[in-house]
Amino acid sequence: MTPHACPLLDFWFDFGSNYSYLSVMRIEEEAARHGVGIRWRPFLLGPIFRSFGWESSPFVLQKEKGDYTWKDMARQCRKYGLPWQQPTSFPRPAVLPLRIALVGATQPWMGEFCRRAMAMNFAEDHGIDSPQIMHALLSELGLPAHRVIDEAISDANKLRLRHQTETAAEKGIFGAPTFFAGDEMFWGNDRLDEALAFCKEAGSGAA
């Protein structure tokens, strides 16, 4: 692993992923506490699942796992002090928010955009995959919504998201959230603290 003055943790997530919600809501604060930077890596979890022969989330396909997950989510949200409402539609489509996140991945508004989009899905039980909803969200953040959405839905950006998802598959990602400190992979929100500590100690951040 290449030493780096500012260790960076790669954060792979999907807005339709409930456990990604937990990580998105707390990663900036926790990363700052550890002195670690974040590289936001939005990707589509659906194609990963389909590569396993799954047409939906395992939390949908396996009733017992799904029942447990919603109870666990309520507990985890209480633990972190986060609002929670089990979505009436799961997993919600989130292609447009992911395309926008790809546009904003290195922008200062990225964290706030992601938190608001996640809160709409998992705290307000609100759909997020429409231009009208995203336009309103981006406008609330004081951003040029039309320009951001136009860039998000450009053919070049659609291709970027496809390539990003292919990269996720090549890296062996099988769920979200997933974190990489250099080549070291950590899966699941409950591994975020461990990933940050590893990243800080190793001084990762190789491009």
Side-chain angles (χ1 to χ4, degrees), residues 44-82:
L44 289 162
L45 194 51
I48 302 291
F49 285 163
R50 284 193 289 278
S51 73
F52 303 146
W54 304 344
E55 288 305 314
S56 186
S57 163
F59 303 152
V60 173
L61 299 176
Q62 302 173 37
K63 180 181 182 304
E64 290 78 6
K65 184 176 284 186
D67 290 346
Y68 171 83
T69 295
W70 301 132
K71 291 178 182 176
D72 187 51
M73 281 298 300
R75 286 196 300 261
Q76 294 300 307
C77 286
R78 282 197 299 272
K79 171 183 172 182
Y80 296 123
L82 296 174

Side-chain angles (χ1 to χ4, degrees), residues 5-130:
C6 179
L8 292 173
L9 185 72
D10 287 323
F11 173 34
W12 294 80
F13 68 99
D14 184 324
F15 288 109
S17 158
N18 52 294
Y19 285 111
S20 291
Y21 165 56
L22 301 175
S23 293
V24 162
M25 301 304 277
R26 68 193 189 95
I27 192 169
E28 282 196 320
E29 184 175 340
E30 291 298 324
R33 191 167 64 83
H34 284 79
V36 170
I38 306 166
R39 279 192 291 225
W40 300 84
R41 304 292 199 194
F43 76 109
L44 289 162
L45 194 51
I48 302 291
F49 285 163
R50 284 193 289 278
S51 73
F52 303 146
W54 304 344
E55 288 305 314
S56 186
S57 163
F59 303 152
V60 173
L61 299 176
Q62 302 173 37
K63 180 181 182 304
E64 290 78 6
K65 184 176 284 186
D67 290 346
Y68 171 83
T69 295
W70 301 132
K71 291 178 182 176
D72 187 51
M73 281 298 300
R75 286 196 300 261
Q76 294 300 307
C77 286
R78 282 197 299 272
K79 171 183 172 182
Y80 296 123
L82 296 174
W84 163 249
Q85 186 172 344
Q86 182 177 333
T88 52
S89 176
F90 179 84
R92 275 207 167 92
V95 175
L96 180 56
L98 286 167
R99 287 173 176 161
I100 292 172
L102 200 55
V103 170
T106 60
Q107 300 300 314
W109 48 267
M110 179 65 172
E112 185 62 23
F113 168 77
C114 290
R115 286 189 290 274
R116 293 199 186 192
M118 281 294 198
M120 291 178 70
N121 191 4
F122 293 107
E124 302 167 17
D125 191 21
H126 201 293
I128 56 175
D129 198 28
S130 84

